[in-house]
Amino acid sequence: MTPAPGPARSVLAEISGRAASTLTPEGRLADLGMDSLGRLTLAVLLEERTGRPLSDEALLKVRTVGDLERLLEPMRHPA
Amino acid sequence: MNTPLSRQLVSDPDAPMIVASAEVAAGAVVGARTRIWHQAQVDADVRLGADCVLGKGVHISSAAVIGDKVKIQNGCGVYGAVLEDGVLLAPGVRLLEDPAPRSVTPDGHLKGRDDWRREPVTVRYGATIGANAVIVPGVTVGRFAMVAVGTVVGHDVPDHGLVMGNPARQVGWACQCGHRLDDILTCPSCGRRYLRRPHGLSAAP
């Protein structure tokens, strides 16, 4: 059974209109059609879903699906 | 060179163009070749640079200082701001300056000219403020920053920063030519490259 996608892939899938199962860690957000408005939507949806703020500075460094998953990892497994 | 309106010569090819329905106070300083269109209002203590364009219904007051080649489009309100050269304010932009706005003082009197503290906005060289954006008092918008349509900006924007939303969030970087930079800070339109600096981005040498 395939595990449920994490918040990064599920939100990216929702915004890009692609199936979460087709998203790879190496996939670039720009190749998913994420423009500036998409980036804003991403930030807002992720904060709503995770209940945690995400800094603009951290999100600006995100280029790939994997980058976003790593950014959110401490939220899923708090120390 | 800026020339007080009272000393302008109609025959001067560099004289500002001010349409009859505009209200430009006699004490205002208006730079060469600046054009001021219908129903615009410019207060006496305002300084406007050369080659500017003020659209219909623009209101500029409270000792605002405007550089050269600045475009302020229809219906903008510029209250005390400092706009460096090459700034664009799209239609309906509001630059505010009173951080504690009230009509009356705590003892109930109508506030006068000296009953409030000015915290004007600064918009640095070449920046663009999108239509109907609101910039709150005291904010500095960096060089060549791009503020998207309808944004409410409550914090400083770095040089070349691209911000949008309410409250504003930085979602990328903008090139000098106006296009959004890609992941490696290169413009897909003109090819300019940029480097990260403490205050935002600078053009790569």
Side-chain angles (χ1 to χ4, degrees), chain A residues 28 34-36 39-40 43 47 54 56-57 60 63, chain B residues 162 164-165 168-173 180 183-184 196:
Chain A
R28 296 170 63 239
M34 295 284 287
D35 58 8
S36 51
R39 288 253 177 184
L40 179 65
E47 289 184 342
L54 288 166
D56 292 351
E57 184 63 28
L60 281 171
R63 297 183 187 182
Chain B
L162 167 60
M164 62 171 59
R169 302 198 62 161
Q170 190 182 350
V171 293
W173 301 97
R180 182 175 173 237
D183 289 345
I184 54 172
R196 280 182 180 265

Side-chain angles (χ1 to χ4, degrees), chain A residues 2-76:
Chain A
T2 306
R9 291 195 198 203
S10 64
V11 169
L12 283 172
E14 192 174 326
I15 296 172
S16 68
R18 299 170 191 232
S21 58
T22 66
L23 304 180
T24 63
E26 302 77 26
R28 296 170 63 239
L29 269 56
D31 294 333
L32 298 175
M34 295 284 287
D35 58 8
S36 51
L37 189 55
R39 288 253 177 184
L40 179 65
T41 307
L42 177 70
V44 172
L45 283 181
L46 282 174
E47 289 184 342
E48 284 181 2
R49 303 283 166 83
T50 64
R52 298 271 297 272
L54 288 166
S55 76
D56 292 351
E57 184 63 28
L59 282 167
L60 281 171
K61 294 174 181 164
V62 169
R63 297 183 187 182
T64 66
V65 176
D67 290 342
L68 189 60
E69 289 179 318
R70 282 186 287 278
L71 178 65
L72 298 178
E73 193 63 22
M75 295 184 184
R76 299 184 72 189

Side-chain angles (χ1 to χ4, degrees), chain B residues 93-111:
Chain B
V93 166
R94 294 287 187 272
L95 308 182
L96 307 177
E97 68 166 341
D98 186 350
R102 294 290 193 203
S103 176
V104 293
T105 60
D107 55 3
H109 297 291
L110 186 67
K111 276 191 167 186

